[in-house]
Amino acid sequence: MAEIKDIKEKIEIEEVKNDGEEFQFGTLKNLVGIDDKYNEMLYMEDGELVYTEEKVSKQQAEWLEEMDIHAKQNIIPIYTGEQFKKIGTGEEIIIEEAGGEKYKFNMDSHYVLQNDIDLNCSEENQWEPIGTNSNHFKGILDGKNNKIEGIYINGGDNKAIFYSNSGTIQNIILNGYIQGRNYIAGMASINNENGKIYNCKNQIEILTANYGGAFVGRNFGLIENCENKGYLDLNASGGGICGQNMSGGIIKKCINTHELMLRDYTIGGIVGSNSGIVEESYNIGNILAPTSYVRYAKGGIVGSNSGTIKNCYNIGEVDAYSNNWDIGGISGRNETNGSIEFSYNVGNIQGGINRGGIIGNNKGNIKYCYTINTNEMSGGNTGIMENCMKLTESQMQNRSNINLENGETTTFIELLNKENNAFSLDNENINKGYPILK
């Protein structure tokens, strides 16, 4: 099979002719005009040369594997909104853009967006979530950093692109409008234990949602490296990334950059209510209350915490009415089984019956957490607060040393990295000089 080398070279020549654009899907004949014994055997799949198992002998498969050419997977290319709407239906669809190949659109298939797609939804043609509570998405959806636009939903419960996710969704930018009641989000109403949502951006406007967030309403799985840039108007248990992060749920390396409007109950820059893990995440959007009827807890990172918050920071202002309940820079309330550590707040905290730069009302355990000295550390504390401090702007920007009670001298970055080494200096001034996450 020495001719394989010649085929690879021809593919490279064709890619150069096409301004370096990689081939995605199709037989060699469709892509580069090769018409010989390898035409049906070899295939381009997502930029890689692969072979079709049913077209080769066992010995040929061994030769191909030795040349780092692997078996063709069941990857389904998505070019249009109409194709996207077929995900999970079980239908067999011919994709003309992929050389007329036929694919079966199952819930456990592997889908890859080839370009931005427009779902073209409207008030008269609203988006219906993919799947149901008992029929989860279990496959892979890779957006390749393309956009899904034209999303429109107005009313109902469990509304998002997916009803329930137990697969992997990654590298997608969302644009559109969603308004609903309960468990409302951009990507998935529910992200299950095996569900992963990775490296996505939200620009959807989401309004008046209970248990709502930019990406997930209720999370039992993993949400990692996701950023909200959309306007959220939230009711009970709402957050910039997720409404409720349940026990076992992990939110990691996530960011909220947009202003959040809170109407009622537990609201957080990242999560409304947390009983899982929130780590290495931060909020820079202001959290505002337009009404005095706002109960319970509001926080820069989490509204109410009964899980773990670590290596997080808040830059945004948390603004509430004076008769609102627990307002905090990192979390509004920390319950008896809640833990907060190695996190800081520099945002201004206003309003609230219990108000603090670190915590509004603490009943659990907090250690190595810090706030700008224009705020008090806590509004109420019946738990444990260990090695927590108010610091000056100069100290938090690492321009001045910190003198500890034991006589030692240290710096803010050294305190934050005492156990985890998660932070680095803001040498490029992208965070107003305050430490950033690595």
Side-chain angles (χ1 to χ4, degrees), residues 337-364:
N337 53 342
S339 171
I340 306 173
E341 59 185 50
F342 297 99
S343 299
Y344 76 87
N345 166 67
V346 296
N348 188 36
I349 312 302
Q350 299 187 76
I353 297 171
N354 296 310
R355 177 180 68 248
I358 295 172
I359 187 74
N361 190 358
N362 177 50
K363 298 180 180 181

Side-chain angles (χ1 to χ4, degrees), residues 191-357:
N191 191 42
N192 294 301
E193 182 179 352
N194 296 323
K196 298 179 179 65
I197 298 175
Y198 177 76
N199 196 37
C200 293
K201 290 182 173 60
N202 177 67
Q203 296 172 172
I204 295 176
E205 182 179 0
I206 299 176
L207 303 179
T208 61
N210 295 323
Y211 317 106
F215 297 96
V216 172
R218 176 179 283 184
N219 179 54
F220 297 86
L222 174 66
I223 307 171
E224 183 173 357
N225 200 38
C226 291
E227 178 180 359
N228 175 54
K229 303 175 76 173
Y231 174 76
L232 307 182
D233 191 325
L234 302 166
N235 278 335
S237 294
I241 300 298
C242 170
Q244 289 181 305
N245 190 41
M246 310 302 290
S247 178
I250 299 173
I251 297 176
K252 184 175 183 178
K253 295 184 182 297
C254 289
I255 310 165
N256 176 62
T257 63
H258 203 285
E259 175 180 285
L260 305 180
M261 192 68 70
L262 55 93
R263 301 278 175 184
D264 192 12
Y265 219 59
T266 57
I267 308 292
I270 302 297
V271 181
S273 59
N274 175 56
S275 53
I277 296 173
V278 179
E279 61 182 344
E280 297 178 49
S281 299
Y282 64 90
N283 171 64
I284 62 175
N286 291 334
I287 300 174
L288 307 176
T291 172
S292 61
Y293 185 70
V294 179
R295 300 169 294 174
Y296 208 44
K298 315 293 175 295
I301 301 298
V302 171
S304 176
N305 179 57
S306 57
T308 298
I309 302 169
K310 61 182 179 181
N311 302 324
C312 294
Y313 67 86
N314 175 63
I315 301 296
E317 179 178 303
V318 184
D319 189 0
Y321 280 74
S322 60
N323 63 337
N324 297 162
W325 294 9
D326 303 326
I327 314 297
I330 298 171
S331 182
R333 177 178 293 212
N334 191 39
E335 303 292 356
T336 54
N337 53 342
S339 171
I340 306 173
E341 59 185 50
F342 297 99
S343 299
Y344 76 87
N345 166 67
V346 296
N348 188 36
I349 312 302
Q350 299 187 76
I353 297 171
N354 296 310
R355 177 180 68 248

